[in-house]
Amino acid sequence: MGIMSFLVVSVIGLGLMLLLSIILMLILAGLQWHFTRIEKGNTAFIVRGDDMKAIWPNVGGHRMSSDEDLDGRRWLIRTDSDTKIRETFTRDMLPETRWLQNKLWDWFGIRFVSWFYPQVRVHKLKLDVTRLKEESRVETGKTLRERLEGDTETIYSLRFLVPRPMVIEGVELAGDNARINLLVLAIFRTVIPSLPIFYYKGRFFPLLDAGVKAGIINFCANYKFPVPVLDERGEPVFDKNGKTQLTRGESLTYELWLRLDKGVDSPIQKSLLGLNVGKDFYDSLVREKKTELVDHIKLLLGGKEPEEIPDAVKEKMPFGFIRQHGFALQSIEVIDWEAAEETKDLSSALRAKQTAFHKAKGVREEAYGRRDAVEAVGNADAARIGKMVEAVVRSLEAKGVLPDQIAEVIKSVFQAEQLKQIPNLQTLILGGAGTMAMVPTSMPIPPPPANP
């Protein structure tokens, strides 16, 4: 009995110690001491002193590459293998504790960092961030810049997807030299995690802004808007097969800008996605047989190979977003825009022109509607009367009525149809050449005359 009691007490004691240990580890992970908790979709950085020790991503479907790029950096790449994700995640775990650490991660979402805190710790830094204000907090008449608000946040891990709203002012349109101010929302995805955190020390947002601005300025200066080709009569011109309408490219004007698609998958986004990787850098990775990195670039570009970065953009970003900043642009859309001060008169004139155009179009459509209605009624009446006449002719011919008499009957039918248009008319007495007839307007077919 004494031994049994001792065993029970021992088991209970061990259970309590285990529970207290787990609680303690959870508390330490929350404080980022000795243990860490990595949010889903984030990447944590472990440092020894001031040097990078490890990168731990918790991003679904992604792992750190085995290949290093030409600058000796590993990338966060896409993979469909859960086994490879776990292998790279546990790469720097001590073999003796790997089983226990895996269980801690699977059961509680925490991971052991080191006993030697703070010498070995989770890297922490401050970011100056910009956010869009909620619509309810934006007063009417505010400028684009007043729709943004700045803030500072302390982070222990970097997001995989990084949103960045920004205002780009004074963008010139090549077609008419109009200038516009843009409020855009760019979303970047992390590719080389060490670059923005350890090399730029978290001050990477102004660099991303500069790259986006250079890309949009280049787009507005060089994009050709497809305008339909018209002949001398103003009719669309088609190709030889008569199926595809021909277009010609025109430089952007303020009027064309109003018609331009500015959302996701717009020409703006397609142009700026080409700034993710420069062709020279891509070709060098191919030559060095960095297969993992080359495949990831193709994935980011939708299976396409990169093109040369335009000379106008190279001044601000010679190597592309990925190599230069560690991020790839995933999407960009223009949320709002306004005419710059020197273009406001043009904007007002175009609005007045568009208002007049749509008003005139409405008047034309109303007239077309009345015309179509009258035409439809006429066609219906013609079809109805035609069928009526055919029935009368067939009936009278079967009875042997002479053609002259049939013609008189048809004449009476048309008279009855015309008389039906006179309001409140029930019966009309027709006379002429000593004869008289009563025509009931409600009957479509009068009786045939008797044979002489």
Side-chain angles (χ1 to χ4, degrees), residues 176 254-255 258 345-355:
D176 58 0
Y254 191 81
E255 185 172 6
L258 297 178
D345 290 342
L346 173 61
S347 175
S348 300
L350 284 175
R351 282 199 301 269
K353 175 183 175 182
Q354 289 295 317
T355 301

Side-chain angles (χ1 to χ4, degrees), residues 135-261:
E135 292 294 334
S136 59
R137 296 174 52 200
V138 179
E139 299 178 12
T140 304
K142 292 296 184 180
T143 64
L144 297 181
R145 285 202 175 275
E146 290 173 318
R147 295 179 58 179
L148 301 178
E149 60 181 357
D151 195 7
T152 300
E153 64 179 19
T154 299
I155 65 169
Y156 287 92
S157 57
L158 178 66
R159 295 178 182 174
F160 175 63
L161 295 179
V162 181
R164 178 63 175 177
M166 65 191 80
V167 172
I168 303 173
E169 297 177 325
V171 179
E172 184 174 343
L173 305 178
D176 58 0
N177 302 117
R179 291 183 179 273
I180 52 177
N181 303 326
L182 308 178
L183 173 61
V184 303
L185 175 62
I187 297 180
F188 294 90
R189 63 189 295 174
T190 306
V191 179
I192 311 177
S194 62
L195 189 53
I197 298 301
F198 292 101
Y199 293 86
Y200 292 127
K201 306 297 182 182
R203 293 185 288 271
F204 51 84
F205 279 127
L207 303 174
L208 295 176
D209 294 354
V212 171
K213 181 177 181 179
I216 289 182
I217 290 174
N218 176 72
F219 171 83
C220 292
N222 295 285
Y223 178 70
K224 300 299 181 183
F225 191 96
V227 177
V229 175
L230 305 178
D231 59 19
E232 60 276 4
R233 296 174 299 175
E235 298 294 331
V237 178
F238 292 85
D239 61 6
K240 294 180 180 180
N241 298 324
K243 296 181 179 179
T244 304
Q245 185 176 348
L246 299 180
T247 60
R248 69 175 186 276
E250 288 190 5
S251 296
L252 278 178
T253 62
Y254 191 81
E255 185 172 6
L256 293 178
W257 168 262
L258 297 178
R259 295 160 53 187
L260 180 70
D261 180 13

Side-chain angles (χ1 to χ4, degrees), residues 369-381:
R370 290 198 299 267
R371 179 201 65 188
D372 294 343
V374 171
E375 183 177 346
V377 171
N379 291 336
D381 284 344

Side-chain angles (χ1 to χ4, degrees), residues 326-337:
F327 293 99
L329 180 66
Q330 177 160 303
S331 66
I332 185 169
E333 59 180 318
V334 178
I335 298 175
D336 200 358
W337 71 91

